[in-house]
Amino acid sequence: QVRLVESGGGSVQAGGSLRLSCAASGGTFSSWAMGWFRQAPGKEREFVGGISWSGRYTDYADSVKGRFTISRDNVKKTVFLQMNSLKPEDTAVYSCAAKGTSNYADRRPSSWNYWGQGTQVTVSS
């Protein structure tokens, strides 16, 4: 069984930073592409960023490019999302996801195989 557990969410003021972590167990973490998605109240789930199995390639939504950074540690089986210069519109539940090694930049939530429970990020103006 594959299990993904997010941590690091919380409440910050606009301009602040948070670092999210997603710890994986089961499966073969080093062979998976990993991604972060978010969903705000009343909105559809949207792609935030993805990273290839090797960590060599990344992709980001235009709305977070230059502010967020995704990385991974295949020894610790953990993927991270460093969020800087946070804005109120970043407020959402953030979830990590895993899939096979192909297409780490897939924007479609339905294409991802495994999901964590999510962690709340709230940014106040």
Side-chain angles (χ1 to χ4, degrees):
Q1 293 183 315
V2 175
R3 186 185 181 204
L4 305 176
V5 180
E6 302 96 336
S7 62
S11 298
V12 298
Q13 295 183 350
S17 298
L18 283 173
R19 183 177 176 86
L20 305 183
S21 299
C22 175
S25 61
T28 307
F29 180 83
S30 61
S31 69
W32 302 339
M34 299 294 297
W36 287 95
F37 290 77
R38 66 186 183 186
Q39 187 168 27
K43 297 183 179 179
E44 295 183 345
R45 190 185 301 269
E46 68 171 337
F47 176 84
V48 175
I51 187 167
S52 64
W53 69 269
S54 66
R56 188 178 302 276
Y57 305 103
T58 58
D59 188 60
Y60 301 94
D62 289 342
S63 59
V64 306
K65 194 173 301 180
R67 299 187 298 120
F68 291 10
T69 303
I70 189 171
S71 61
R72 67 189 295 163
D73 185 331
N74 285 351
V75 175
K76 297 180 179 179
K77 297 183 178 181
T78 304
V79 63
F80 306 95
L81 184 67
Q82 178 67 46
M83 304 184 294
N84 298 326
S85 301
L86 283 162
K87 305 175 181 179
E89 51 263 44
D90 294 320
T91 295
V93 174
Y94 285 71
S95 301
C96 67
K99 67 194 302 286
T101 58
S102 64
N103 201 359
Y104 58 91
D106 196 330
R107 261 61 173 174
R108 300 169 296 176
S110 61
S111 295
W112 295 74
N113 303 116
Y114 306 104
W115 293 85
Q117 294 181 331
T119 185
Q120 177 71 47
V121 172
T122 302
V123 184
S124 301
S125 61

